[in-house]
Amino acid sequence: MVNDRDPTAFLLEEYNALVKKELDWKLRVLQGPSTTRCVVDGKKVIMLCSNNYLGLANHPKLKEAAVQAVKSHGAGSGSVRPIAGNMDIHIELERRLAKFKKCAASLVFQSGYSVNSGLIPQLADVGDLIISDELNHGSIIDGVRLSHAQRAVYKHCDMDDLEKVLDETEKQSPAPRRILITTDGVFSMDGDIAPVDKIAKLAKDHGAMVFVDDAHGEGVLGDGGRGIVSHFKLGRNDVHVEMGTFSKAFGVVGGHISGSRALINFALNRSRTWLLTGSHPPAVAAACIAAIDILENEPEHVQNLWKNTDYFRKEIRRIGFDTGKSQTPIIPVMVGKSADAKRLSARLFESGVFALPIVHPMVAENQARIRTIMNAALTREDLDEALGAFESAGKALSLI
Ligand SMILES: *Cc1c(COP(=O)(O)O)cnc(C)c1O
């Protein structure tokens, strides 16, 4: 018997359903480097939605380091780290990162996503409990899903709710073997900062581990951009796993963790997303080392980032927009309806400002927004031009 049903028919059907609901990604093309004035889909725009906070993605020192590493170490590493792909340049990067983070040791993964999806299920599994902020990044959610641990979610940054969850676990029999609390440091949709000091205190009271995803805090918060642990002046006994990425403020790519030597030895022996994947090309490791050099020696980048953040947030509010809970260079410009956010983004693009709308289901139905992200390399002129575009588009659409 022949079954002439096309087993792939769902591909087009499900894609078409997304298109109909306008939930499909329409990919923009960046022509040339990621800079504050760049070309997107053939149009010259001011970039307001990249995570390249410090402008390092196209920094001459990073580019030169990458070129030199290709010459000295080749284009690829040839293997996974545990077999033949563990190069001196990878070790040097981890040494430099641990020093920068003021930790005993650091470990570099392919990406932040692979840290969260690969390490979290090893830190907590059968008989354990993972407690997660409801607005945590999708990569944490995937890590939690890969674990066999029991799960609990607390209301966004709500310490009473976290405490309630922890108190309830005390009554459980048998009690969880291990408890892991996970949170984003800076939340990527709202730009608010998790109360990691209070989380660490509650964790200590209940014997729990703390895992902080500092993807948007590194290069941004704390002494010289050292991140959220430094921001709250916490120690290594408060936050046990500090996770981050080289793909945002550091301007390159790659995930990493910092903490105790025991953590690093455990993580590299247990995380399948570390063991089973080829190591970074030498150029990546070299460019990341150059980024750390810049953070250690050129404090002006982090200072400029905050100068721009304070200015833009003050001015966009003066124009009449609401910036929600933003405390960081992630500045959501709240709009409300999804359709309005899309119209505003389209008008901004027409007037040479690139900032994407964030709409349902990424945020609640009536909470659509344009998410702007500041960059140290933006000039006052860039910001004023962008603010002017927001003002005229906002007025034209009766949003302000
Ligand atoms: C971007 C991001 C990640 C993923 O990092 P990559 O290195 O780009 O994979 C993880 N967590 C948060 C909060 C992020 O914003």
Side-chain angles (χ1 to χ4, degrees):
M1 210 173 78
V2 175
N3 185 343
D4 56 10
R5 191 181 138 268
D6 173 6
T8 67
F10 76 95
L11 297 173
L12 191 59
E13 283 161 23
E14 294 193 13
Y15 169 71
N16 285 341
L18 287 174
V19 173
K20 205 164 159 201
K21 284 191 252 168
E22 289 190 51
L23 290 176
D24 60 312
W25 282 100
K26 295 175 183 70
L27 298 181
R28 300 272 197 188
V29 180
L30 180 58
Q31 290 153 305
S34 178
T35 49
T36 49
R37 295 260 179 182
C38 57
V39 180
V40 173
D41 289 348
K43 189 165 174 64
K44 281 190 184 159
V45 291
I46 298 172
M47 172 65 91
L48 285 189
C49 53
S50 152
N51 294 312
N52 178 25
Y53 289 107
L54 302 175
L56 300 186
N58 193 47
H59 193 290
K61 286 185 185 165
L62 272 74
K63 292 200 284 189
E64 184 54 29
V67 168
Q68 286 308 323
V70 169
K71 291 184 180 156
S72 63
H73 285 68
S77 73
S79 176
V80 297
R81 294 263 313 261
I83 300 179
N86 186 37
M87 290 176 150
D88 50 2
I89 202 164
H90 298 127
I91 300 292
E92 175 63 6
L93 172 58
E94 287 165 349
R95 192 186 66 77
R96 291 294 305 274
L97 180 63
K99 188 162 154 268
F100 176 71
K101 288 279 191 176
K102 301 189 161 100
C103 280
S106 295
L107 185 68
V108 174
F109 286 62
Q110 277 292 354
S111 68
Y113 182 85
S114 51
V115 175
N116 289 344
S117 56
L119 179 58
I120 289 173
Q122 300 303 323
L123 293 173
D125 204 27
V126 180
D128 303 329
L129 170 67
I130 305 180
I131 310 177
S132 200
D133 185 291
E134 66 180 342
L135 294 188
N136 276 348
H137 191 257
S139 55
I140 295 183
I141 295 172
D142 283 1
V144 174
R145 281 183 182 153
L146 284 168
S147 162
H148 300 96
Q150 185 194 335
R151 297 144 203 199
V153 172
Y154 62 95
K155 291 199 197 93
H156 179 53
C157 291
D158 183 335
M159 293 301 98
D160 291 336
D161 202 33
L162 173 59
E163 189 165 19
K164 209 167 86 194
V165 172
L166 285 163
D167 285 343
E168 276 163 17
T169 64
E170 308 257 291
K171 297 180 208 132
Q172 268 182 32
S173 174
R177 184 183 58 155
R178 303 200 282 256
I179 303 173
L180 176 69
I181 304 174
T182 64
T183 183
D184 281 21
V186 173
F187 289 86
S188 53
M189 296 299 163
D190 293 287
D192 54 334
I193 300 174
V196 177
D197 51 342
K198 299 193 177 79
I199 293 172
K201 168 91 181 48
L202 285 172
K204 208 161 267 179
D205 292 347
H206 290 81
M209 281 182 284
V210 179
F211 181 116
V212 174
D213 177 336
D214 206 19
H216 292 281
E218 282 172 345
V220 175
L221 295 176
D223 171 35
R226 281 176 174 75
I228 199 155
V229 170
S230 161
H231 171 80
F232 282 110
K233 300 191 166 50
L234 296 171
R236 291 300 139 201
N237 294 326
D238 302 308
V239 172
H240 307 95
V241 188
E242 201 184 339
M243 171 271 169
T245 177
F246 289 117
S247 72
K248 290 178 176 136
F250 287 88
V252 194
V253 76
H256 52 82
I257 53 168
S258 297
S260 66
R261 172 55 63 188
L263 168 73
I264 300 315
N265 285 338
F266 174 90
L268 79 84
N269 280 286
R270 295 285 293 273
S271 308
R272 289 159 67 82
T273 55
W274 192 89
L275 291 163
L276 304 181
T277 190
S279 55
H280 280 156
V284 168
C288 292
I289 293 171
I292 294 172
D293 264 339
I294 290 173
L295 275 154
E296 285 179 341
N297 297 306
E298 301 176 16
E300 61 269 26
H301 303 290
V302 178
Q303 287 158 9
N304 287 340
L305 175 65
W306 280 99
K307 230 181 274 170
N308 287 342
T309 299
D310 293 340
Y311 179 74
F312 188 82
R313 194 160 45 219
K314 179 168 71 70
E315 290 300 309
I316 196 97
R317 281 185 181 154
R318 197 178 54 72
I319 290 170
F321 282 108
D322 167 18
T323 57
K325 291 179 285 188
S326 168
Q327 299 171 276
T328 64
I330 297 177
I331 306 178
V333 178
M334 306 305 285
V335 170
K337 290 197 206 104
S338 295
D340 284 339
K342 285 179 184 171
R343 273 200 289 271
L344 178 56
S345 173
R347 274 197 182 243
L348 287 169
F349 192 75
E350 279 310 303
S351 44
V353 174
F354 185 35
L356 282 184
I358 308 279
V359 301
H360 184 73
M362 278 194 279
V363 291
E365 198 98 52
N366 57 350
Q367 300 245 317
R369 65 199 64 179
I370 304 289
R371 182 179 57 174
T372 66
I373 302 177
M374 287 300 111
N375 186 309
L378 287 161
T379 62
R380 187 54 64 88
E381 195 181 38
D382 297 332
L383 292 174
D384 286 338
E385 193 177 319
L387 287 161
F390 264 101
E391 184 163 21
S392 37
K395 282 185 177 149
L397 296 171
S398 306
L399 296 169
I400 49 172

